[in-house]
Amino acid sequence: MCRSIKTLRPPYSEDVTEEDMRAAALQYVRKISGFRAPAAHNAEAFERAVTEIAESTAALLATLEVRGKAS
């Protein structure tokens, strides 16, 4: 699932931006919803999901501990 989403944690990616997290969230929402772009009546729910998933991604990446990585 979502093969185009790249790994965002070290050591795979050192400089993760908000744009990277949003792009991953967008791909995820597109995949699970089955829509590349939502109809107007679903646009708000679609955008809210992308925002929430991007925020959750940022929280996850901020709290992950990668073993063997020098701080």
Side-chain angles (χ1 to χ4, degrees), residues 21-63:
M21 290 183 276
R22 184 165 177 76
L26 178 59
Q27 287 296 326
Y28 177 77
V29 171
R30 285 176 173 169
K31 183 69 170 188
I32 62 168
S33 71
F35 297 115
R36 176 148 172 54
H41 62 277
N42 288 324
E44 185 179 335
F46 192 91
E47 182 59 31
R48 185 173 44 249
V50 170
T51 299
E52 290 174 359
I53 292 167
E55 289 171 354
S56 293
T57 299
L60 172 66
L61 293 175
T63 58

